[in-house]
Amino acid sequence: MIVFRGYAFVSDLSFADIAAVVGRGPWTWTERDSESLGDYLWTRVNETNIRVFEDEGHYCLDFKFTGNDPAQFDVLVDTLLTRVLPTIGARDVRPDRDYYS
């Protein structure tokens, strides 16, 4: 199963501060850049690529899940929404388009 998902949010933290905070876990993140996204944070968890980046005055978190276990997908989403986003001070979290598809 392949699932694309995206969330938009705001945070009082700068991108550099977000990079420092997510660097504490739960996963290992790498700072990267691309022509389309600019600077972004990336991690791979099991079969899932996850990115955090800035887009037009807000931040985005999107991911591409390619696993076969729906329970693993549910755990991933729960971890993102209850651990990662609160850690970086995300507020006004809302579904957004994903940039992978």
Side-chain angles (χ1 to χ4, degrees):
M1 93 188 213
I2 298 175
V3 179
F4 298 96
R5 178 86 42 100
Y7 297 98
F9 63 95
V10 294
S11 174
D12 293 332
L13 298 179
S14 69
F15 183 80
D17 291 338
I18 289 174
V21 170
V22 297
R24 297 182 212 146
W27 306 305
T28 301
W29 295 78
T30 303
E31 193 167 338
R32 295 181 171 187
D33 66 2
S34 76
E35 193 172 302
S36 61
L37 298 178
D39 292 335
Y40 68 97
L41 300 168
W42 175 89
T43 192
R44 181 159 175 86
V45 179
N46 300 321
E47 296 89 13
T48 306
N49 293 320
I50 306 168
R51 303 181 298 191
V52 175
F53 53 93
E54 290 183 82
D55 182 47
E56 299 180 10
H58 64 275
Y59 291 103
C60 299
L61 180 149
D62 73 351
F63 64 89
K64 177 183 177 184
F65 177 83
T66 58
N68 292 317
D69 183 357
Q72 187 180 32
F73 175 79
D74 292 341
V75 168
L76 172 74
V77 171
D78 182 66
T79 301
L80 290 170
L81 294 177
T82 65
R83 289 187 61 200
V84 175
L85 289 175
T87 299
I88 58 178
R91 64 181 192 284
D92 301 331
V93 177
R94 63 193 182 280
D96 193 24
R97 71 183 176 105
D98 68 86
Y99 291 74
Y100 274 106
S101 60

XYZ file of all heavy atoms in Angstrom:
823
model
N 0.839 -1.173 0.000
C 0.000 0.000 0.000
C 0.881 1.232 0.000
O 1.918 1.271 0.639
C -0.970 -0.067 1.183
C -0.594 0.590 2.481
S -1.808 0.168 3.780
C -1.794 1.637 4.719
N 0.484 2.213 -0.783
C 1.204 3.479 -0.839
C 0.228 4.571 -0.418
O -0.869 4.675 -0.966
C 1.746 3.762 -2.249
C 2.750 2.683 -2.659
C 2.383 5.145 -2.305
C 3.250 2.823 -4.082
N 0.630 5.351 0.582
C -0.207 6.439 1.082
C 0.635 7.703 1.123
O 1.734 7.708 1.673
C -0.752 6.143 2.497
C -1.597 7.306 2.988
C -1.546 4.850 2.521
N 0.116 8.762 0.530
C 0.732 10.079 0.619
C -0.110 10.898 1.578
O -1.334 10.874 1.523
C 0.725 10.768 -0.750
C 1.504 10.056 -1.799
C 0.869 9.195 -2.689
C 2.864 10.243 -1.918
C 1.576 8.539 -3.674
C 3.589 9.590 -2.893
C 2.943 8.732 -3.780
N 0.553 11.651 2.448
C -0.189 12.480 3.408
C 0.613 13.739 3.661
O 1.839 13.706 3.727
C -0.372 11.684 4.693
C -1.070 12.352 5.825
C -2.587 12.284 5.876
N -3.249 11.054 5.553
C -3.725 10.161 6.421
N -3.566 10.341 7.713
N -4.373 9.094 6.005
N -0.071 14.845 3.844
C 0.593 16.104 4.137
C -0.160 16.877 5.198
O -1.387 16.794 5.288
N 0.589 17.619 6.008
C 0.026 18.502 7.023
C 0.702 19.861 6.912
O 1.909 19.936 6.699
C 0.264 17.955 8.433
C -0.406 16.642 8.703
C 0.295 15.450 8.602
C -1.756 16.593 9.043
C -0.327 14.238 8.843
C -2.387 15.380 9.281
C -1.661 14.202 9.177
O -2.286 13.006 9.402
N -0.074 20.914 7.082
C 0.467 22.268 7.173
C 0.330 22.713 8.622
O -0.594 22.291 9.318
C -0.292 23.206 6.251
N 1.245 23.560 9.064
C 1.181 24.051 10.436
C 2.005 25.321 10.563
O 2.781 25.668 9.671
C 1.677 22.989 11.430
C 3.123 22.597 11.249
C 4.125 23.206 11.990
C 3.481 21.607 10.347
C 5.458 22.843 11.834
C 4.812 21.231 10.191
C 5.801 21.845 10.931
N 1.821 26.009 11.656
C 2.650 27.161 11.986
C 3.407 26.842 13.269
O 2.981 26.003 14.065
C 1.833 28.468 12.140
C 1.232 28.884 10.817
C 0.772 28.317 13.191
N 4.529 27.495 13.427
C 5.359 27.333 14.624
C 6.118 28.633 14.839
O 6.481 29.309 13.867
C 6.339 26.173 14.442
O 7.241 26.102 15.541
N 6.350 28.966 16.087
C 7.156 30.143 16.400
C 8.643 29.874 16.222
O 9.450 30.799 16.276
C 6.884 30.607 17.832
C 5.467 31.146 17.991
O 4.890 31.652 16.991
O 4.923 31.058 19.104
N 9.017 28.615 16.028
C 10.419 28.252 15.851
C 10.880 28.551 14.432
O 10.128 28.410 13.474
C 10.623 26.759 16.141
C 10.300 26.273 17.545
C 10.534 24.776 17.646
C 11.119 27.013 18.584
N 12.138 28.932 14.308
C 12.744 29.076 12.985
C 13.032 27.682 12.428
O 13.003 26.687 13.157
C 14.055 29.866 13.093
O 15.028 29.084 13.782
N 13.341 27.628 11.149
C 13.683 26.341 10.551
C 14.901 25.727 11.243
O 14.924 24.533 11.522
C 13.941 26.497 9.044
C 14.221 25.199 8.362
C 13.185 24.345 8.019
C 15.523 24.818 8.077
C 13.437 23.129 7.397
C 15.782 23.608 7.457
C 14.742 22.771 7.117
N 15.894 26.543 11.563
C 17.096 26.049 12.265
C 16.731 25.487 13.632
O 17.270 24.458 14.052
C 18.134 27.159 12.389
N 15.814 26.158 14.340
C 15.379 25.655 15.643
C 14.624 24.337 15.498
O 14.802 23.426 16.306
C 14.490 26.680 16.352
C 15.248 27.922 16.799
O 16.485 27.844 16.944
O 14.595 28.969 16.976
N 13.784 24.244 14.487
C 13.061 22.983 14.246
C 14.057 21.867 13.964
O 13.933 20.762 14.493
C 12.046 23.140 13.107
C 10.879 24.008 13.580
C 11.547 21.782 12.614
C 9.868 24.356 12.504
N 15.077 22.150 13.159
C 16.097 21.141 12.859
C 16.786 20.670 14.130
O 17.038 19.471 14.311
C 17.118 21.698 11.869
N 17.079 21.592 15.032
C 17.738 21.224 16.290
C 16.822 20.380 17.167
O 17.259 19.398 17.770
C 18.177 22.469 17.042
N 15.555 20.732 17.219
C 14.613 20.006 18.077
C 14.339 18.605 17.540
O 14.387 17.637 18.297
C 13.297 20.810 18.234
C 12.228 19.976 18.913
C 13.553 22.084 19.022
N 14.069 18.460 16.243
C 13.792 17.110 15.729
C 15.030 16.240 15.768
O 14.927 15.014 15.798
C 13.161 17.102 14.309
C 11.825 17.766 14.288
C 14.102 17.638 13.267
N 16.188 16.869 15.802
C 17.422 16.113 15.909
C 17.551 15.327 17.199
O 18.350 14.402 17.308
N 16.714 15.651 18.177
C 16.732 14.927 19.452
C 15.902 13.646 19.401
O 15.874 12.895 20.370
C 16.204 15.829 20.565
C 17.051 17.040 20.805
C 16.508 17.871 21.952
N 16.793 19.272 21.694
C 16.027 20.269 22.043
N 14.885 20.043 22.677
N 16.366 21.495 21.772
N 15.181 13.418 18.326
C 14.420 12.176 18.200
C 12.962 12.424 17.935
O 12.532 13.563 17.918
N 12.195 11.438 17.662
C 12.496 10.033 17.874
C 13.322 9.385 16.771
O 13.760 8.263 16.916
C 11.111 9.389 17.945
C 10.256 10.228 17.062
C 10.811 11.627 17.222
N 13.535 10.069 15.644
C 14.275 9.472 14.536
C 15.479 10.334 14.203
O 15.621 11.449 14.680
C 13.364 9.337 13.316
C 12.099 8.593 13.590
C 11.972 7.335 14.112
C 10.759 9.059 13.403
N 10.646 6.989 14.242
C 9.876 8.022 13.808
C 10.200 10.237 12.922
C 8.501 8.141 13.740
C 8.826 10.357 12.855
C 7.988 9.313 13.256
N 16.344 9.824 13.345
C 17.495 10.572 12.882
C 17.098 11.354 11.640
O 16.648 10.773 10.655
C 18.669 9.624 12.556
O 18.998 8.886 13.733
C 19.875 10.393 12.079
N 17.244 12.663 11.693
C 16.861 13.542 10.600
C 18.108 14.100 9.921
O 19.125 14.325 10.562
C 16.026 14.706 11.120
C 14.713 14.299 11.695
C 14.498 13.751 12.930
C 13.437 14.394 11.073
N 13.149 13.513 13.107
C 12.476 13.899 11.986
C 12.995 14.860 9.840
C 11.127 13.855 11.694
C 11.645 14.826 9.550
C 10.727 14.323 10.461
N 17.993 14.370 8.625
C 19.076 14.941 7.838
C 18.571 16.221 7.192
O 17.445 16.254 6.687
C 19.508 13.960 6.730
O 19.886 12.722 7.324
C 20.659 14.511 5.925
N 19.393 17.265 7.210
C 19.009 18.484 6.504
C 19.453 18.350 5.049
O 20.591 17.983 4.765
C 19.647 19.707 7.157
C 19.046 20.993 6.660
C 19.424 22.202 7.493
O 19.800 22.043 8.663
O 19.324 23.313 6.945
N 18.521 18.635 4.148
C 18.782 18.542 2.717
C 18.245 19.790 2.034
O 17.596 20.602 2.658
C 18.085 17.311 2.126
C 18.616 16.001 2.659
C 17.906 14.853 2.011
N 18.563 13.595 2.355
C 18.245 12.446 1.826
N 17.283 12.362 0.933
N 18.886 11.358 2.187
N 18.507 19.868 0.725
C 17.881 20.936 -0.045
C 17.543 20.418 -1.435
O 18.102 19.433 -1.904
C 18.752 22.188 -0.103
C 20.059 21.986 -0.870
O 20.288 20.901 -1.401
O 20.840 22.941 -0.938
N 16.570 21.066 -2.014
C 16.176 20.720 -3.374
C 15.730 21.986 -4.086
O 15.414 22.992 -3.446
C 15.043 19.688 -3.381
O 13.809 20.290 -3.052
N 15.694 21.918 -5.387
C 15.270 23.070 -6.177
C 13.809 23.423 -5.908
O 13.446 24.587 -5.825
C 15.476 22.774 -7.661
C 15.357 23.994 -8.530
C 15.763 23.703 -9.949
O 16.913 23.273 -10.159
O 14.922 23.909 -10.826
N 12.970 22.415 -5.716
C 11.545 22.690 -5.537
C 11.160 23.037 -4.100
O 10.265 23.839 -3.884
C 10.708 21.500 -6.020
O 11.026 20.342 -5.267
N 11.828 22.440 -3.097
C 11.467 22.673 -1.702
C 12.382 23.646 -0.976
O 12.017 24.165 0.070
C 11.472 21.355 -0.911
C 10.498 20.275 -1.326
C 10.684 19.039 -0.453
C 9.067 20.772 -1.251
N 13.559 23.858 -1.475
C 14.561 24.616 -0.727
C 15.128 23.726 0.372
O 15.216 22.505 0.223
N 15.487 24.306 1.516
C 15.993 23.519 2.643
C 14.853 22.719 3.252
O 13.743 23.238 3.411
C 16.593 24.424 3.719
C 17.861 25.111 3.254
O 18.530 24.581 2.350
O 18.179 26.191 3.787
N 15.131 21.470 3.581
C 14.124 20.648 4.246
C 14.795 19.617 5.120
O 15.990 19.331 4.979
C 13.165 20.001 3.241
C 13.767 18.940 2.344
C 13.644 17.589 2.640
C 14.431 19.282 1.174
C 14.171 16.617 1.811
C 14.955 18.320 0.336
C 14.826 16.979 0.658
O 15.355 16.014 -0.172
N 14.025 19.083 6.052
C 14.488 18.002 6.923
C 13.891 16.713 6.402
O 12.728 16.677 5.993
C 14.032 18.253 8.358
C 14.540 19.546 8.969
C 13.792 19.843 10.256
C 16.031 19.445 9.220
N 14.676 15.642 6.447
C 14.244 14.365 5.903
C 14.620 13.235 6.859
O 15.690 13.270 7.472
C 14.900 14.121 4.553
C 14.617 12.790 3.944
C 13.569 12.474 3.125
C 15.382 11.588 4.071
N 13.642 11.153 2.755
C 14.740 10.585 3.326
C 16.544 11.262 4.772
C 15.226 9.288 3.249
C 17.025 9.965 4.697
C 16.369 8.999 3.936
N 13.748 12.256 6.968
C 14.068 11.023 7.671
C 13.354 9.880 6.974
O 12.362 10.077 6.270
C 13.692 11.094 9.170
O 14.270 9.978 9.853
C 12.195 11.116 9.388
N 13.863 8.684 7.185
C 13.218 7.479 6.660
C 12.955 6.568 7.844
O 13.871 6.219 8.586
C 14.075 6.771 5.626
C 13.393 5.538 5.056
C 13.995 5.149 3.710
N 13.443 3.910 3.216
C 12.323 3.814 2.514
N 11.639 4.905 2.229
N 11.885 2.652 2.083
N 11.697 6.196 8.017
C 11.269 5.317 9.097
C 10.613 4.101 8.456
O 9.565 4.239 7.818
C 10.270 6.033 10.034
C 9.818 5.108 11.142
C 10.867 7.312 10.579
N 11.245 2.959 8.623
C 10.771 1.737 7.967
C 10.591 2.019 6.480
O 11.542 2.350 5.818
C 9.512 1.202 8.644
C 9.742 0.854 10.095
O 10.788 0.317 10.447
N 8.796 1.187 10.946
N 9.395 1.956 5.959
C 9.171 2.191 4.533
C 8.640 3.586 4.249
O 7.986 3.812 3.233
C 8.173 1.160 3.976
C 8.651 -0.266 4.030
C 8.278 -0.950 5.344
O 7.448 -0.418 6.101
O 8.842 -2.016 5.617
N 8.928 4.533 5.102
C 8.316 5.852 4.980
C 9.359 6.959 4.906
O 10.225 7.057 5.760
C 7.394 6.121 6.187
O 6.456 5.053 6.294
C 6.665 7.437 6.030
N 9.252 7.801 3.882
C 10.047 9.018 3.770
C 9.228 10.164 4.338
O 8.069 10.349 3.950
C 10.387 9.319 2.318
C 11.320 8.296 1.722
O 12.246 7.848 2.378
N 11.082 7.920 0.485
N 9.836 10.944 5.232
C 9.144 12.052 5.888
C 9.973 13.323 5.692
O 11.191 13.293 5.836
C 8.975 11.795 7.398
C 8.287 10.454 7.641
C 8.212 12.941 8.062
C 8.339 9.990 9.091
N 9.283 14.418 5.380
C 9.972 15.694 5.188
C 9.259 16.800 5.957
O 8.039 16.771 6.123
C 9.992 16.084 3.710
C 10.617 15.045 2.820
C 10.630 15.463 1.389
N 9.277 15.657 0.852
C 9.003 15.815 -0.442
N 9.982 15.807 -1.317
N 7.766 15.990 -0.852
N 10.047 17.799 6.390
C 9.530 19.021 6.989
C 10.206 20.176 6.253
O 11.421 20.190 6.106
C 9.838 19.110 8.502
C 9.394 20.447 9.067
C 9.198 17.952 9.261
N 9.398 21.155 5.821
C 9.937 22.275 5.059
C 9.007 23.478 5.176
O 7.876 23.364 5.650
C 10.135 21.893 3.587
C 8.911 21.316 2.942
C 8.023 22.109 2.248
C 8.641 19.951 3.048
C 6.890 21.572 1.670
C 7.515 19.399 2.465
C 6.636 20.225 1.772
N 9.509 24.617 4.739
C 8.712 25.852 4.739
C 8.046 26.022 3.382
O 8.633 25.678 2.350
C 9.598 27.067 4.995
C 10.131 27.159 6.396
C 10.935 28.416 6.605
O 10.332 29.481 6.854
O 12.172 28.313 6.505
N 6.819 26.573 3.406
C 6.119 26.848 2.152
C 5.161 28.015 2.350
O 4.166 27.891 3.066
C 5.348 25.611 1.686
C 4.651 25.825 0.355
O 5.308 26.339 -0.570
O 3.463 25.495 0.250
N 5.482 29.145 1.765
C 4.599 30.312 1.743
C 4.024 30.689 3.108
O 2.816 30.704 3.319
C 3.475 30.095 0.734
C 3.974 29.911 -0.678
C 2.858 29.699 -1.679
O 1.673 29.873 -1.343
O 3.192 29.363 -2.817
N 4.900 30.938 4.068
C 4.473 31.451 5.354
C 4.046 30.427 6.384
O 3.578 30.788 7.453
N 4.171 29.168 6.072
C 3.876 28.119 7.045
C 4.842 26.956 6.800
O 5.632 26.982 5.866
C 2.416 27.651 6.948
C 2.062 27.008 5.653
N 1.677 27.729 4.547
C 2.047 25.712 5.272
C 1.436 26.915 3.543
N 1.667 25.678 3.950
N 4.781 25.999 7.682
C 5.596 24.791 7.528
C 4.724 23.655 7.013
O 3.503 23.668 7.178
C 6.220 24.376 8.866
C 7.280 25.324 9.353
C 6.999 26.232 10.374
C 8.558 25.305 8.816
C 7.975 27.100 10.833
C 9.538 26.168 9.277
C 9.236 27.059 10.279
O 10.200 27.918 10.736
N 5.374 22.682 6.417
C 4.693 21.488 5.936
C 5.437 20.255 6.440
O 6.657 20.268 6.569
C 4.680 21.428 4.413
S 3.817 22.800 3.649
N 4.683 19.241 6.726
C 5.229 17.919 7.001
C 4.485 16.988 6.050
O 3.259 16.987 6.022
C 4.974 17.497 8.448
C 5.518 16.120 8.838
C 5.913 16.113 10.303
C 4.532 15.018 8.556
N 5.233 16.282 5.229
C 4.563 15.317 4.357
C 5.325 14.010 4.361
O 6.476 13.938 4.795
C 4.333 15.863 2.953
C 5.572 15.962 2.091
O 6.698 15.778 2.588
O 5.424 16.240 0.892
N 4.632 12.964 3.956
C 5.294 11.670 3.929
C 4.688 10.762 2.878
O 3.570 10.960 2.412
C 5.290 10.994 5.295
C 3.929 10.640 5.836
C 3.346 9.419 5.547
C 3.258 11.519 6.658
C 2.106 9.078 6.061
C 2.028 11.198 7.190
C 1.442 9.976 6.887
N 5.508 9.777 2.505
C 5.116 8.726 1.571
C 5.331 7.400 2.274
O 6.458 6.985 2.524
C 5.959 8.798 0.302
C 5.668 7.695 -0.681
C 6.593 7.809 -1.879
C 6.378 6.674 -2.843
N 7.357 6.755 -3.953
N 4.224 6.757 2.629
C 4.257 5.459 3.306
C 4.110 4.370 2.250
O 3.172 4.396 1.456
C 3.099 5.380 4.309
C 2.992 4.058 5.018
C 3.769 3.801 6.129
C 2.126 3.074 4.565
C 3.671 2.584 6.792
C 2.024 1.868 5.221
C 2.797 1.616 6.330
N 5.030 3.408 2.242
C 4.992 2.331 1.252
C 4.984 0.952 1.902
O 5.406 -0.023 1.298
C 6.176 2.434 0.265
O 7.394 2.402 1.017
C 6.105 3.701 -0.559
N 4.502 0.875 3.128
C 4.463 -0.403 3.840
C 3.207 -1.194 3.526
O 2.315 -0.736 2.806
N 3.132 -2.380 4.081
C 1.979 -3.247 3.867
C 1.129 -3.440 5.114
O 0.130 -4.131 5.071
C 2.443 -4.612 3.350
C 3.019 -4.504 1.958
O 2.464 -3.822 1.113
N 4.137 -5.159 1.728
N 1.530 -2.832 6.204
C 0.857 -3.054 7.483
C 0.075 -1.806 7.901
O 0.669 -0.804 8.297
C 1.900 -3.409 8.544
C 1.305 -3.726 9.897
O 0.070 -3.620 10.069
O 2.092 -4.069 10.800
N -1.266 -1.840 7.817
C -2.055 -0.669 8.218
C -1.800 -0.246 9.666
O -1.845 0.945 9.983
C -3.500 -1.119 8.030
C -3.433 -2.222 7.036
C -2.107 -2.896 7.284
N -1.510 -1.180 10.545
C -1.226 -0.835 11.944
C 0.060 -0.009 12.027
O 0.147 0.930 12.825
C -1.123 -2.086 12.801
N 1.054 -0.343 11.210
C 2.306 0.416 11.187
C 2.034 1.850 10.704
O 2.599 2.804 11.225
C 3.313 -0.278 10.272
C 4.688 0.325 10.300
C 5.641 -0.402 9.381
O 5.246 -0.927 8.334
N 6.896 -0.432 9.760
N 1.156 1.987 9.732
C 0.762 3.318 9.258
C 0.117 4.120 10.384
O 0.439 5.284 10.598
C -0.197 3.185 8.068
C -0.747 4.496 7.596
C 0.013 5.339 6.801
C -2.018 4.899 7.957
C -0.490 6.563 6.373
C -2.536 6.110 7.528
C -1.770 6.940 6.731
N -0.794 3.495 11.113
C -1.477 4.168 12.215
C -0.497 4.625 13.297
O -0.620 5.735 13.828
C -2.542 3.264 12.836
C -3.704 2.999 11.896
O -3.889 3.767 10.920
O -4.429 2.009 12.125
N 0.486 3.788 13.619
C 1.502 4.153 14.616
C 2.324 5.339 14.110
O 2.626 6.265 14.864
C 2.403 2.946 14.954
C 3.631 3.373 15.748
C 1.617 1.886 15.697
N 2.680 5.326 12.850
C 3.448 6.423 12.271
C 2.680 7.740 12.386
O 3.215 8.746 12.869
C 3.768 6.139 10.806
C 4.409 7.313 10.074
C 5.846 7.494 10.501
C 4.291 7.140 8.587
N 1.432 7.752 11.954
C 0.629 8.971 12.012
C 0.481 9.440 13.454
O 0.628 10.630 13.758
C -0.738 8.768 11.330
C -1.658 9.954 11.583
C -0.565 8.536 9.840
N 0.232 8.516 14.358
C 0.102 8.877 15.769
C 1.395 9.501 16.294
O 1.363 10.514 16.996
C -0.282 7.643 16.593
C -0.484 7.998 18.056
O -1.453 8.745 18.348
O 0.327 7.548 18.897
N 2.529 8.923 15.953
C 3.814 9.458 16.400
C 4.046 10.861 15.846
O 4.494 11.758 16.566
C 4.972 8.525 15.992
O 4.754 7.237 16.564
C 6.324 9.063 16.448
N 3.720 11.063 14.585
C 3.895 12.390 13.992
C 3.002 13.423 14.675
O 3.447 14.524 14.997
C 3.590 12.344 12.493
C 4.608 11.582 11.642
C 4.077 11.394 10.226
C 5.947 12.295 11.627
N 1.745 13.057 14.900
C 0.783 14.015 15.445
C 0.916 14.234 16.951
O 0.603 15.323 17.440
C -0.645 13.577 15.110
C -1.009 13.599 13.625
C -2.417 13.070 13.419
C -0.855 14.993 13.032
N 1.365 13.225 17.689
C 1.419 13.363 19.143
C 2.827 13.576 19.699
O 2.964 13.982 20.852
C 0.794 12.140 19.852
O 1.578 10.977 19.568
C -0.644 11.938 19.422
N 3.856 13.317 18.901
C 5.226 13.505 19.394
C 6.016 14.522 18.582
O 6.573 15.463 19.137
C 5.975 12.170 19.401
C 5.473 11.230 20.486
C 6.297 9.984 20.618
N 7.688 10.275 20.972
C 8.678 9.421 20.779
N 8.442 8.233 20.269
N 9.908 9.735 21.120
N 6.089 14.324 17.272
C 6.951 15.175 16.457
C 6.393 16.593 16.358
O 7.090 17.565 16.681
C 7.165 14.565 15.054
C 7.961 15.517 14.167
C 7.880 13.218 15.164
N 5.161 16.737 15.906
C 4.613 18.079 15.727
C 4.521 18.860 17.041
O 4.911 20.039 17.075
C 3.276 18.018 14.998
C 3.388 17.637 13.508
C 2.003 17.477 12.883
C 4.220 18.644 12.741
N 4.057 18.275 18.135
C 4.058 19.049 19.395
C 5.464 19.456 19.842
O 5.649 20.544 20.394
C 3.416 18.095 20.400
C 2.543 17.217 19.578
C 3.321 17.010 18.296
N 6.448 18.616 19.590
C 7.826 18.920 19.988
C 8.350 20.167 19.296
O 9.136 20.918 19.870
C 8.748 17.720 19.685
O 8.284 16.608 20.436
C 10.193 18.005 20.042
N 7.917 20.397 18.055
C 8.401 21.569 17.322
C 7.418 22.742 17.414
O 7.504 23.694 16.644
C 8.737 21.230 15.850
C 7.538 20.670 15.107
C 9.917 20.281 15.806
C 7.796 20.363 13.638
N 6.506 22.664 18.362
C 5.600 23.780 18.611
C 4.575 23.994 17.515
O 4.115 25.119 17.318
N 4.219 22.937 16.805
C 3.248 23.071 15.717
C 1.871 23.402 16.280
O 1.426 22.816 17.254
C 3.185 21.773 14.917
N 1.237 24.359 15.638
C -0.142 24.685 15.987
C -0.903 24.951 14.693
O -0.293 25.123 13.637
C -0.201 25.867 16.953
C 0.308 27.152 16.425
C 0.231 28.265 17.486
N 0.449 29.550 16.901
C 1.622 30.040 16.518
N 2.722 29.320 16.695
N 1.707 31.240 15.972
N -2.206 24.996 14.814
C -3.055 25.139 13.623
C -2.725 24.064 12.590
O -2.655 24.333 11.389
C -2.919 26.541 13.009
C -3.305 27.647 13.972
O -4.155 27.401 14.853
O -2.741 28.752 13.857
N -2.507 22.846 13.075
C -2.179 21.721 12.191
C -3.429 21.365 11.399
O -4.509 21.207 11.948
C -1.689 20.501 13.005
C -1.419 19.314 12.092
C -0.449 20.869 13.817
N -3.248 21.251 10.107
C -4.372 20.911 9.242
C -3.885 20.047 8.087
O -2.725 20.144 7.681
C -5.028 22.176 8.721
C -4.127 23.019 7.854
C -4.668 24.420 7.592
N -3.807 25.199 6.727
C -2.701 25.825 7.091
N -2.295 25.743 8.347
N -1.985 26.517 6.239
N -4.759 19.223 7.561
C -4.373 18.437 6.384
C -3.982 19.374 5.241
O -4.554 20.456 5.077
C -5.634 17.652 6.037
C -6.420 17.614 7.296
C -6.120 18.921 7.999
N -3.017 18.964 4.499
C -2.521 19.754 3.370
C -2.184 18.795 2.247
O -2.091 17.581 2.459
C -1.275 20.538 3.801
C -0.861 21.616 2.807
O -1.712 22.103 2.033
O 0.327 21.982 2.802
N -1.949 19.327 1.097
C -1.526 18.464 -0.001
C -0.149 17.895 0.328
O 0.606 18.496 1.095
C -1.480 19.224 -1.313
C -0.342 20.236 -1.401
C -0.426 20.996 -2.712
N 0.572 22.020 -2.772
C 1.684 21.920 -3.509
N 1.917 20.845 -4.218
N 2.551 22.905 -3.522
N 0.134 16.740 -0.199
C 1.487 16.217 -0.040
C 2.259 16.624 -1.286
O 1.688 16.889 -2.340
C 1.471 14.700 0.133
C 1.043 14.006 -1.128
O 1.918 13.760 -1.977
O -0.164 13.748 -1.285
N 3.555 16.716 -1.171
C 4.381 17.156 -2.267
C 5.075 15.991 -2.968
O 5.806 16.186 -3.908
C 5.419 18.158 -1.733
C 4.785 19.461 -1.292
C 4.063 19.522 -0.099
C 4.868 20.595 -2.054
C 3.458 20.697 0.316
C 4.272 21.785 -1.652
C 3.568 21.828 -0.473
O 2.961 22.992 -0.064
N 4.835 14.768 -2.485
C 5.422 13.591 -3.113
C 4.653 13.171 -4.354
O 5.210 12.706 -5.321
C 5.427 12.400 -2.141
C 6.636 12.370 -1.246
C 6.549 12.721 0.090
C 7.873 11.971 -1.738
C 7.646 12.697 0.916
C 8.984 11.926 -0.913
C 8.867 12.294 0.407
O 9.954 12.249 1.217
N 3.320 13.265 -4.309
C 2.539 12.723 -5.426
C 2.427 13.697 -6.571
O 2.832 14.803 -6.521
C 1.149 12.322 -4.947
O 0.470 13.431 -4.429
